[in-house]
Amino acid sequence: MNSVHKPQPMTKGFFTPGVIVLLVLAVNGLGFLLGRFLFGIGSVTNLSNQYPWGIWIAIDVAAGVALAAGGFTTAALGHVMHREEYHIVVRPALLTAMLGYTFAALAVCIDLGRWYYIWHPLIMWNGTSALFEVGMCVMIYMMVLYIEFLPIVAERFIGRITLKGVFARLNKPLEALLRALDRGLSKTMFIFIIAGVVLSTLHQSSLGTLMIIAGPKVHPLWQTPILPLLFLLSAVSVGYPMVIFESMIASRSFGLKPEMDVLSRLGSFMAPLLSIYLAFKIGDMVIRESFMYLTEVNTASVMFTIEIVVGVAIPLRMFLSEVVVRSRLWLFVASCLVVFGVLLNRINTFVVAYNPPYAVKAYFPSIGEISVTVGFVSILVLLYRFYVRTFAVISIAKVTPAARAKYAIRGGRS
Amino acid sequence: MKKKTRRDFLKTSALIGTAVASSSLHPAKAGPKNILSPDRMGVLVDTTVCVGCRSCEWACKVAHGRSTQPLAEYEDRSVYQTSRRPDHESVTVVNEHRQEESNGTPVYTKVQCMHCDHPSCVSACIVGAFTKEENGSVVWDTNKCIGCRYCMVACPFQIPAFEFGEALRPDVVKCDFCFSRTQEGKLPACVEMCPVEALTYGPRTELIKVARERIRRAPEKYVHHIYGETEAGGTSWMYLASRDFAGLGLPNVGTHAMPGTSESIQHGIFAYFIPPVLLYAMLGGVMWVTRRGKESEHEELK
């Protein structure tokens, strides 16, 4: 296949005013994190015996894993179904997933009271625990993501390893290792790609199973036996909007033209995906008659309404419109709404809906919790920037007139 | 993956299939001990007898080697002005519930782990650090716990407490039904201490008979319900009271065993790993078919 688009490292400088702001936020978050390790979880969070889980679990872990779903949805589209026109979004989505899962795992780690025992689930199994399944799947999937990323690393360094001094003698073995890895992986990669999709469907749904055991402690607007299905459907729905969202931001930041052609095609998947999610969400509400909780005005009913209307219904209507899907601005807005909707859904399910029987006062995240979460997101964005400058992740269209013409005639096939 | 032929694909797929199948033929007997013995023990708390002396709180601390004020200071009744919950320092507390409308005597309710027959914490714990022992006790293992606090999310009675102020090795703390004492044939410390015999220790089935008999003998004195007989699928600790339990800090948690729904979902998804393996095979099939499509397309182009 002669590709018009070729992934290549970005060349624009690392530092911009935005990057400086992110660095400040990152350092601030790390400061509070140090407090957590020196003085305990209670010293920087508002967590208590009433509210054992806060935004570190709701946002960093649950929402983080959901928003990294682009990794497996694009892999399914590009590699499993061999829709090659989508290959240019697979690498950015893979990088997002890899960084997203790494940070979700780090967030779990800092939230654990005994973080140094994070390896315990590997040898101490509890098959009845949804959390055990999530933990194992996430751990294995993270390995799979690293393996999927390895060829990109090999591609960058093969023939370019020039260590100096005492390390010079390592150049040849390293080179051989990279080549062997690259060759071995190119033959076996399909195993990991399918495994990645299977593992993702398993743990995306099991994240929903997590709150089922809390029973009546979770508000009936969210507590339902089909929570795992809803979590899976919403994760699948948020995969492409997240890819669109990032692709547009990256294009803007690096001064590229967004790949509207591919992004619009991704956008056209959204209406069916969101409809399925919304249908299950509303169907569940009708069957369990939980809509009666919407008649009273309180935090739960307001948050639920925002989640459904702003986060699902409005973007669904937008994606149905051809004008929106073709427009750079509106496609971006609609994608942002879906991302917001899923983020809010995870916060709602894990924090807003959680009503312990003996709550003394309601939970609201502390400055420390917010700082750490914001800091983690900042570091993630900075790492993304570092990676796309080091490795060939983002594809750039070659601007030769001939290629342009071919591109247009072939109907946008890249 | 460009040069891979279909034969390679099939060979590797078959290899993986065999590996997965052979590993799932012998599913590891994973999971914590969760025994529901017919002879499990329990405690019947008769709140109509309790006088709120709080000596059980003192005995509990002494039995677990925790620092405590002298017993005499527990007579101070000012603590009853606030409703307390068990925490990492006191795994059992007594609360006073005054009747507002009539000026009847207040009711005292002792709060501690209920030691469920189908404990959420045992089901939920990621590393299986909780165990339902043969004698009914639900105990926690410090050597396994990673401090994730999922037990606290899962518990319908909001019992496990966490040492949020501990930086290095925070514990999850809850009543252990004096597991080490009962193993030696002794009574739980609180039961032994109670001066008015508000607490009765015995086999759970016997206690239910005792409770029914008490209600039968004095039907005007009791609400005709044993809290804990069916709550959350049944608990080892059970309560009798003269008033509605909801007003005594004992929540209406329904009669379903809390882990029921989530465990059936988990077992449905992981029925001998069949659904994940099927999904894997299906995706492999799709990948193979679409690849063939692409290959023939390319051949036509040539």
Side-chain angles (χ1 to χ4, degrees), chain B residues 243-285:
Chain B
R243 307 200 249 131
D244 183 33
F245 291 99
L248 302 177
L250 295 166
N252 180 10
V253 295
T255 56
H256 284 292
M258 287 295 158
T261 316
S262 70
E263 284 191 6
S264 47
I265 292 174
Q266 281 301 99
H267 292 157
I269 296 177
F270 285 98
Y272 292 94
F273 286 95
I274 291 168
V277 171
L278 277 183
L279 178 62
Y280 195 103
M282 205 186 76
L283 289 170

Side-chain angles (χ1 to χ4, degrees), chain A residues 36-43 47-50 52-53 79-82 84 111-117 120-121 124-133 186-187 189-191 193-195 197-198 201-202 205-206 209-217 225 228 354 356-359 413, chain B residues 1 4 9 12-13 16 28 30-32 85 87 120 122-128 140 142-150 152-158 161-162 164-171 249 251 258-259 261-263 265-267 269-270 276 279-280 283-284 286-287 290-291 294:
Chain A
R36 174 257 173 271
F37 283 110
L38 291 181
F39 308 110
I41 294 174
S43 64
L47 298 179
S48 61
N49 287 336
Q50 286 90 49
W53 281 359
H79 292 311
V80 176
M81 297 185 203
H82 283 105
E84 269 139 33
D111 193 70
L112 289 183
R114 302 170 171 188
W115 48 272
Y116 42 84
Y117 281 162
H120 270 189
M124 300 167 188
W125 291 14
N126 182 7
T128 59
S129 168
L131 189 63
F132 171 74
E133 194 222 315
S186 76
K187 281 202 180 128
M189 189 51 87
F190 73 98
I191 300 171
I193 286 168
I194 305 178
V197 177
V198 174
T201 54
L202 288 177
S205 54
S206 293
T209 320
L210 279 187
M211 294 313 274
I212 285 183
I213 201 166
K217 289 158 104 178
Y354 191 78
Y358 308 99
R413 204 25 100 69
Chain B
M1 66 183 279
K4 182 174 54 65
F9 187 101
T12 333
S13 310
I16 294 168
R85 292 294 301 162
D87 60 19
S120 295
V122 174
S123 171
C125 180
I126 181 169
V127 288
W140 168 83
T142 182
N143 294 319
K144 287 186 173 175
C145 181
I146 63 174
C148 72
R149 310 186 296 285
Y150 189 33
M152 301 167 72
V153 172
C155 177
F157 300 103
Q158 203 185 313
F162 183 76
F164 283 99
E166 183 68 41
L168 279 179
R169 200 181 161 85
D171 285 347
M258 287 295 158
T261 316
S262 70
E263 284 191 6
I265 292 174
Q266 281 301 99
H267 292 157
I269 296 177
F270 285 98
L279 178 62
Y280 195 103
L283 289 170
V286 171
M287 202 172 184
T290 52
R291 179 157 189 86
K294 291 285 158 190

Side-chain angles (χ1 to χ4, degrees), chain B residues 206-220:
Chain B
E206 292 298 315
L207 291 178
I208 292 174
K209 285 182 199 152
V210 170
R212 289 208 181 118
E213 183 61 20
R214 284 192 201 173
I215 295 175
R216 196 186 62 79
R217 277 202 201 152
E220 71 294 338

Side-chain angles (χ1 to χ4, degrees), chain A residues 232-265:
Chain A
L232 179 63
L233 290 175
S234 55
V236 171
S237 304
V238 83
Y240 301 142
M242 197 64 193
V243 170
I244 297 172
F245 172 78
E246 278 163 359
S247 177
M248 290 211 177
I249 291 181
S251 304
R252 195 181 172 84
S253 174
F254 290 110
L256 308 170
K257 233 172 140 256
E259 295 295 337
M260 274 311 287
D261 197 65
V262 176
L263 299 185
S264 294
R265 279 155 168 265

